[in-house]
mmCIF file of all heavy atoms in Angstrom:
data_model
loop_
_atom_site.group_PDB
_atom_site.id
_atom_site.type_symbol
_atom_site.label_atom_id
_atom_site.label_comp_id
_atom_site.label_asym_id
_atom_site.label_seq_id
_atom_site.Cartn_x
_atom_site.Cartn_y
_atom_site.Cartn_z
ATOM 1 N N ALA A 1273 94.282 133.271 98.463
ATOM 2 C CA ALA A 1273 94.578 132.195 99.411
ATOM 3 C C ALA A 1273 93.529 131.102 99.292
ATOM 4 O O ALA A 1273 92.396 131.341 98.869
ATOM 5 C CB ALA A 1273 94.578 132.743 100.833
ATOM 6 N N TRP A 1274 93.938 129.901 99.671
ATOM 7 C CA TRP A 1274 93.008 128.780 99.711
ATOM 8 C C TRP A 1274 92.106 128.916 100.919
ATOM 9 O O TRP A 1274 92.549 129.322 101.987
ATOM 10 C CB TRP A 1274 93.742 127.450 99.807
ATOM 11 C CG TRP A 1274 94.388 126.999 98.545
ATOM 12 C CD1 TRP A 1274 95.725 126.956 98.282
ATOM 13 C CD2 TRP A 1274 93.743 126.508 97.370
ATOM 14 N NE1 TRP A 1274 95.941 126.471 97.013
ATOM 15 C CE2 TRP A 1274 94.736 126.187 96.441
ATOM 16 C CE3 TRP A 1274 92.406 126.305 97.018
ATOM 17 C CZ2 TRP A 1274 94.448 125.674 95.180
ATOM 18 C CZ3 TRP A 1274 92.113 125.796 95.768
ATOM 19 C CH2 TRP A 1274 93.129 125.476 94.864
ATOM 20 N N GLU A 1275 90.850 128.506 100.741
ATOM 21 C CA GLU A 1275 89.869 128.409 101.822
ATOM 22 C C GLU A 1275 89.028 127.188 101.545
ATOM 23 O O GLU A 1275 89.020 126.671 100.429
ATOM 24 C CB GLU A 1275 88.946 129.636 101.829
ATOM 25 C CG GLU A 1275 89.324 130.674 102.805
ATOM 26 C CD GLU A 1275 88.269 131.770 102.914
ATOM 27 O OE1 GLU A 1275 87.116 131.600 102.463
ATOM 28 O OE2 GLU A 1275 88.634 132.801 103.456
ATOM 29 N N PHE A 1276 88.301 126.741 102.554
ATOM 30 C CA PHE A 1276 87.383 125.625 102.378
ATOM 31 C C PHE A 1276 85.985 126.078 102.742
ATOM 32 O O PHE A 1276 85.781 126.684 103.795
ATOM 33 C CB PHE A 1276 87.792 124.432 103.251
ATOM 34 C CG PHE A 1276 89.080 123.803 102.806
ATOM 35 C CD1 PHE A 1276 90.290 124.224 103.330
ATOM 36 C CD2 PHE A 1276 89.076 122.816 101.841
ATOM 37 C CE1 PHE A 1276 91.480 123.662 102.904
ATOM 38 C CE2 PHE A 1276 90.268 122.254 101.406
ATOM 39 C CZ PHE A 1276 91.468 122.674 101.941
ATOM 40 N N ARG A 1277 85.046 125.788 101.843
ATOM 41 C CA ARG A 1277 83.648 126.079 102.153
ATOM 42 C C ARG A 1277 83.188 125.117 103.247
ATOM 43 O O ARG A 1277 83.875 124.153 103.569
ATOM 44 C CB ARG A 1277 82.766 125.893 100.910
ATOM 45 C CG ARG A 1277 83.061 126.861 99.800
ATOM 46 C CD ARG A 1277 82.064 126.783 98.673
ATOM 47 N NE ARG A 1277 81.702 125.415 98.303
ATOM 48 C CZ ARG A 1277 81.383 125.025 97.082
ATOM 49 N NH1 ARG A 1277 81.376 125.894 96.102
ATOM 50 N NH2 ARG A 1277 81.070 123.784 96.826
ATOM 51 N N SER A 1278 82.024 125.358 103.771
ATOM 52 C CA SER A 1278 81.490 124.511 104.835
ATOM 53 C C SER A 1278 81.299 123.060 104.383
ATOM 54 O O SER A 1278 81.333 122.151 105.205
ATOM 55 C CB SER A 1278 80.176 125.077 105.363
ATOM 56 O OG SER A 1278 79.220 125.126 104.326
ATOM 57 N N ASP A 1279 81.141 122.833 103.076
ATOM 58 C CA ASP A 1279 80.991 121.467 102.571
ATOM 59 C C ASP A 1279 82.335 120.801 102.275
ATOM 60 O O ASP A 1279 82.382 119.686 101.772
ATOM 61 C CB ASP A 1279 80.099 121.437 101.328
ATOM 62 C CG ASP A 1279 80.702 122.182 100.136
ATOM 63 O OD1 ASP A 1279 81.796 122.766 100.241
ATOM 64 O OD2 ASP A 1279 80.050 122.187 99.068
ATOM 65 N N GLY A 1280 83.443 121.483 102.572
ATOM 66 C CA GLY A 1280 84.772 120.920 102.362
ATOM 67 C C GLY A 1280 85.383 121.230 101.012
ATOM 68 O O GLY A 1280 86.529 120.878 100.750
ATOM 69 N N GLN A 1281 84.654 121.873 100.134
ATOM 70 C CA GLN A 1281 85.143 122.208 98.791
ATOM 71 C C GLN A 1281 86.208 123.303 98.881
ATOM 72 O O GLN A 1281 85.967 124.359 99.462
ATOM 73 C CB GLN A 1281 83.975 122.696 97.928
ATOM 74 C CG GLN A 1281 84.367 123.102 96.533
ATOM 75 C CD GLN A 1281 84.518 121.915 95.600
ATOM 76 O OE1 GLN A 1281 84.254 120.787 95.969
ATOM 77 N NE2 GLN A 1281 84.946 122.166 94.406
ATOM 78 N N PRO A 1282 87.404 123.074 98.314
ATOM 79 C CA PRO A 1282 88.414 124.135 98.309
ATOM 80 C C PRO A 1282 88.047 125.215 97.292
ATOM 81 O O PRO A 1282 87.587 124.913 96.188
ATOM 82 C CB PRO A 1282 89.703 123.413 97.906
ATOM 83 C CG PRO A 1282 89.249 122.204 97.172
ATOM 84 C CD PRO A 1282 87.900 121.837 97.708
ATOM 85 N N VAL A 1283 88.217 126.455 97.695
ATOM 86 C CA VAL A 1283 87.983 127.604 96.834
ATOM 87 C C VAL A 1283 89.145 128.569 97.041
ATOM 88 O O VAL A 1283 89.880 128.474 98.012
ATOM 89 C CB VAL A 1283 86.640 128.312 97.144
ATOM 90 C CG1 VAL A 1283 85.462 127.409 96.839
ATOM 91 C CG2 VAL A 1283 86.595 128.789 98.584
ATOM 92 N N VAL A 1284 89.289 129.487 96.111
ATOM 93 C CA VAL A 1284 90.308 130.525 96.256
ATOM 94 C C VAL A 1284 89.602 131.811 96.658
ATOM 95 O O VAL A 1284 88.652 132.226 96.011
ATOM 96 C CB VAL A 1284 91.099 130.726 94.938
ATOM 97 C CG1 VAL A 1284 92.030 131.923 95.042
ATOM 98 C CG2 VAL A 1284 91.883 129.463 94.602
ATOM 99 N N ARG A 1285 90.062 132.394 97.747
ATOM 100 C CA ARG A 1285 89.538 133.689 98.176
ATOM 101 C C ARG A 1285 90.527 134.747 97.708
ATOM 102 O O ARG A 1285 91.711 134.671 97.979
ATOM 103 C CB ARG A 1285 89.364 133.786 99.678
ATOM 104 C CG ARG A 1285 88.923 135.202 100.056
ATOM 105 C CD ARG A 1285 88.291 135.387 101.391
ATOM 106 N NE ARG A 1285 87.199 134.546 101.761
ATOM 107 C CZ ARG A 1285 85.914 134.786 101.481
ATOM 108 N NH1 ARG A 1285 85.577 135.824 100.764
ATOM 109 N NH2 ARG A 1285 84.983 133.983 101.910
ATOM 110 N N LEU A 1286 89.994 135.728 96.970
ATOM 111 C CA LEU A 1286 90.819 136.815 96.455
ATOM 112 C C LEU A 1286 90.887 137.940 97.482
ATOM 113 O O LEU A 1286 90.072 137.997 98.413
ATOM 114 C CB LEU A 1286 90.241 137.322 95.135
ATOM 115 C CG LEU A 1286 90.080 136.252 94.049
ATOM 116 C CD1 LEU A 1286 89.384 136.829 92.835
ATOM 117 C CD2 LEU A 1286 91.428 135.659 93.681
ATOM 118 N N ALA A 1287 91.826 138.832 97.321
ATOM 119 C CA ALA A 1287 91.993 139.951 98.247
ATOM 120 C C ALA A 1287 90.713 140.781 98.348
ATOM 121 O O ALA A 1287 90.417 141.347 99.402
ATOM 122 C CB ALA A 1287 93.166 140.825 97.813
ATOM 123 N N SER A 1288 89.922 140.816 97.292
ATOM 124 C CA SER A 1288 88.666 141.571 97.280
ATOM 125 C C SER A 1288 87.584 140.902 98.130
ATOM 126 O O SER A 1288 86.545 141.492 98.390
ATOM 127 C CB SER A 1288 88.150 141.698 95.845
ATOM 128 O OG SER A 1288 87.787 140.414 95.341
ATOM 129 N N GLY A 1289 87.827 139.654 98.541
ATOM 130 C CA GLY A 1289 86.838 138.896 99.288
ATOM 131 C C GLY A 1289 86.047 137.934 98.417
ATOM 132 O O GLY A 1289 85.338 137.069 98.920
ATOM 133 N N ARG A 1290 86.157 138.079 97.127
ATOM 134 C CA ARG A 1290 85.458 137.192 96.194
ATOM 135 C C ARG A 1290 85.998 135.773 96.303
ATOM 136 O O ARG A 1290 87.195 135.554 96.419
ATOM 137 C CB ARG A 1290 85.666 137.706 94.769
ATOM 138 C CG ARG A 1290 85.074 136.835 93.692
ATOM 139 C CD ARG A 1290 85.341 137.420 92.310
ATOM 140 N NE ARG A 1290 85.128 136.403 91.301
ATOM 141 C CZ ARG A 1290 85.742 136.378 90.139
ATOM 142 N NH1 ARG A 1290 86.594 137.323 89.820
ATOM 143 N NH2 ARG A 1290 85.500 135.421 89.279
ATOM 144 N N GLN A 1291 85.086 134.797 96.302
ATOM 145 C CA GLN A 1291 85.467 133.393 96.298
ATOM 146 C C GLN A 1291 85.363 132.855 94.884
ATOM 147 O O GLN A 1291 84.371 133.108 94.191
ATOM 148 C CB GLN A 1291 84.539 132.572 97.190
ATOM 149 C CG GLN A 1291 84.904 132.559 98.621
ATOM 150 C CD GLN A 1291 84.070 131.527 99.384
ATOM 151 O OE1 GLN A 1291 83.123 130.946 98.861
ATOM 152 N NE2 GLN A 1291 84.424 131.312 100.623
ATOM 153 N N LEU A 1292 86.368 132.108 94.475
ATOM 154 C CA LEU A 1292 86.382 131.522 93.146
ATOM 155 C C LEU A 1292 86.365 130.004 93.283
ATOM 156 O O LEU A 1292 87.272 129.418 93.886
ATOM 157 C CB LEU A 1292 87.634 131.976 92.388
ATOM 158 C CG LEU A 1292 87.813 131.487 90.976
ATOM 159 C CD1 LEU A 1292 86.690 131.993 90.081
ATOM 160 C CD2 LEU A 1292 89.154 131.942 90.432
ATOM 161 N N ASP A 1293 85.324 129.373 92.767
ATOM 162 C CA ASP A 1293 85.208 127.917 92.810
ATOM 163 C C ASP A 1293 86.032 127.347 91.658
ATOM 164 O O ASP A 1293 85.524 127.101 90.560
ATOM 165 C CB ASP A 1293 83.746 127.488 92.708
ATOM 166 C CG ASP A 1293 83.559 125.991 92.926
ATOM 167 O OD1 ASP A 1293 84.543 125.226 92.786
ATOM 168 O OD2 ASP A 1293 82.430 125.591 93.223
ATOM 169 N N VAL A 1294 87.310 127.150 91.918
ATOM 170 C CA VAL A 1294 88.228 126.706 90.874
ATOM 171 C C VAL A 1294 87.972 125.259 90.457
ATOM 172 O O VAL A 1294 88.207 124.898 89.306
ATOM 173 C CB VAL A 1294 89.705 126.911 91.280
ATOM 174 C CG1 VAL A 1294 90.056 128.389 91.340
ATOM 175 C CG2 VAL A 1294 90.016 126.236 92.612
ATOM 176 N N VAL A 1295 87.476 124.436 91.369
ATOM 177 C CA VAL A 1295 87.203 123.042 91.019
ATOM 178 C C VAL A 1295 86.059 122.974 90.010
ATOM 179 O O VAL A 1295 86.138 122.240 89.022
ATOM 180 C CB VAL A 1295 86.914 122.199 92.279
ATOM 181 C CG1 VAL A 1295 86.454 120.791 91.905
ATOM 182 C CG2 VAL A 1295 88.157 122.127 93.168
ATOM 183 N N ASP A 1296 85.029 123.754 90.231
ATOM 184 C CA ASP A 1296 83.931 123.809 89.271
ATOM 185 C C ASP A 1296 84.440 124.298 87.916
ATOM 186 O O ASP A 1296 84.096 123.738 86.873
ATOM 187 C CB ASP A 1296 82.818 124.720 89.790
ATOM 188 C CG ASP A 1296 81.602 124.696 88.887
ATOM 189 O OD1 ASP A 1296 81.116 123.598 88.560
ATOM 190 O OD2 ASP A 1296 81.144 125.787 88.496
ATOM 191 N N ALA A 1297 85.280 125.315 87.930
ATOM 192 C CA ALA A 1297 85.855 125.831 86.686
ATOM 193 C C ALA A 1297 86.705 124.762 85.998
ATOM 194 O O ALA A 1297 86.675 124.627 84.772
ATOM 195 C CB ALA A 1297 86.695 127.077 86.967
ATOM 196 N N GLY A 1298 87.440 123.978 86.785
ATOM 197 C CA GLY A 1298 88.248 122.899 86.218
ATOM 198 C C GLY A 1298 87.404 121.826 85.554
ATOM 199 O O GLY A 1298 87.758 121.312 84.490
ATOM 200 N N HIS A 1299 86.273 121.511 86.165
ATOM 201 C CA HIS A 1299 85.360 120.530 85.561
ATOM 202 C C HIS A 1299 84.798 121.054 84.246
ATOM 203 O O HIS A 1299 84.700 120.306 83.270
ATOM 204 C CB HIS A 1299 84.228 120.170 86.523
ATOM 205 C CG HIS A 1299 84.635 119.189 87.569
ATOM 206 N ND1 HIS A 1299 84.719 117.835 87.335
ATOM 207 C CD2 HIS A 1299 85.004 119.367 88.863
ATOM 208 C CE1 HIS A 1299 85.116 117.226 88.430
ATOM 209 N NE2 HIS A 1299 85.296 118.135 89.377
ATOM 210 N N GLU A 1300 84.430 122.313 84.214
ATOM 211 C CA GLU A 1300 83.923 122.914 82.970
ATOM 212 C C GLU A 1300 84.995 122.881 81.884
ATOM 213 O O GLU A 1300 84.714 122.563 80.732
ATOM 214 C CB GLU A 1300 83.461 124.357 83.217
ATOM 215 C CG GLU A 1300 82.177 124.464 83.973
ATOM 216 C CD GLU A 1300 81.002 123.893 83.190
ATOM 217 O OE1 GLU A 1300 80.897 124.136 81.974
ATOM 218 O OE2 GLU A 1300 80.185 123.186 83.813
ATOM 219 N N TRP A 1301 86.211 123.214 82.248
ATOM 220 C CA TRP A 1301 87.315 123.204 81.284
ATOM 221 C C TRP A 1301 87.558 121.784 80.761
ATOM 222 O O TRP A 1301 87.692 121.578 79.547
ATOM 223 C CB TRP A 1301 88.585 123.755 81.924
ATOM 224 C CG TRP A 1301 89.780 123.624 81.039
ATOM 225 C CD1 TRP A 1301 90.152 124.470 80.039
ATOM 226 C CD2 TRP A 1301 90.754 122.562 81.056
ATOM 227 N NE1 TRP A 1301 91.296 123.999 79.433
ATOM 228 C CE2 TRP A 1301 91.677 122.835 80.032
ATOM 229 C CE3 TRP A 1301 90.921 121.425 81.834
ATOM 230 C CZ2 TRP A 1301 92.772 122.008 79.781
ATOM 231 C CZ3 TRP A 1301 92.002 120.597 81.571
ATOM 232 C CH2 TRP A 1301 92.905 120.894 80.554
#
Side-chain angles (χ1 to χ4, degrees):
W1274 285 109
E1275 262 188 16
F1276 292 91
R1277 295 188 317 212
S1278 61
D1279 65 358
Q1281 179 81 4
V1283 295
V1284 173
R1285 175 161 308 273
L1286 304 175
S1288 66
R1290 176 180 163 208
Q1291 275 190 351
L1292 181 63
D1293 187 340
V1294 291
V1295 173
D1296 186 51
H1299 281 280
E1300 287 295 318
W1301 173 83

